[in-house]
Amino acid sequence: MAIAADLPVATRRSSDLSKHSAEVFAEAEDHPVTVTRRDGETLVLMSQREAEGRSLLLNFAAQLITVTLDDRGTLAERMSKAFPWMLALSPVDRESCAQDLVDAARASFSTNQPHLAIAELTSWKETATAVAAGLGSADLEWLDDDETVERP
């Protein structure tokens, strides 16, 4: 995992977009590219995935700030107000979920990697959805560690 300081910093001139557009666009698919212009403000070119990830992370951050400003109840109780799907989880899982989401958000912001928090949020939400659908009550049959299972 790359930390924010290790992320590629690409700066291109606006003329590169017309002269080497395929190269600049390919680079923007990997990471945001800063495009400098003589006649205007510097722009940033990024993929839709990158832009959506940043937007989702900012939305998540706004919800977390709202949760932290409320001083009534535990973190899990406050988080359940912001994320009602958490109510499908057991009280113990709600506590784990709340702490995991906060930790993932901190990791995302400190590394400039929105997918860390978004993946954690999605994972917990999908788990809550499965539990609400009754999938959490099924008996599981665990395989022994030494049992080999062939590829399907």
Side-chain angles (χ1 to χ4, degrees):
M1 172 173 52
I3 59 171
D6 293 340
L7 292 176
V9 177
T11 302
R12 298 294 196 121
R13 296 183 309 268
S14 60
S15 60
D16 289 340
L17 285 174
S18 59
K19 294 177 185 174
H20 311 287
S21 60
E23 182 181 314
V24 175
F25 289 142
E27 195 171 354
E29 286 182 12
D30 292 335
H31 52 82
V33 175
T34 301
V35 179
T36 59
R37 306 178 326 168
R38 286 185 291 194
D39 60 345
E41 190 175 352
T42 298
L43 303 174
V44 177
L45 181 64
M46 67 179 71
S47 69
Q48 181 73 28
R49 179 190 75 250
E50 179 81 22
E52 287 174 357
R54 289 171 183 232
S55 178
L56 287 170
L57 184 60
L58 284 175
N59 185 38
F60 182 48
Q63 290 173 308
L64 286 179
I65 289 169
T66 301
V67 166
T68 60
L69 292 176
D70 185 1
D71 59 355
R72 291 166 288 162
T74 66
L75 176 62
E77 291 168 347
R78 296 188 319 255
M79 294 273 288
S80 294
K81 290 178 190 172
F83 305 105
W85 50 262
M86 286 178 64
L87 295 171
L89 301 171
S90 71
V92 171
D93 284 345
R94 270 185 240 142
E95 293 290 335
S96 294
C97 174
Q99 191 59 56
D100 288 353
L101 292 177
V102 169
D103 292 344
R106 292 177 67 202
S108 282
F109 283 115
S110 66
T111 62
N112 198 26
Q113 299 293 316
H115 69 277
L116 299 174
I118 301 309
E120 192 71 31
L121 180 65
T122 302
S123 177
W124 274 109
K125 187 174 182 180
E126 292 298 324
T127 298
T129 301
V131 168
L135 299 177
S137 61
D139 288 335
L140 300 176
E141 180 182 338
W142 295 96
L143 299 174
D144 292 331
D145 290 341
D146 59 351
E147 189 173 335
T148 303
V149 178
E150 292 186 29
R151 187 180 180 109

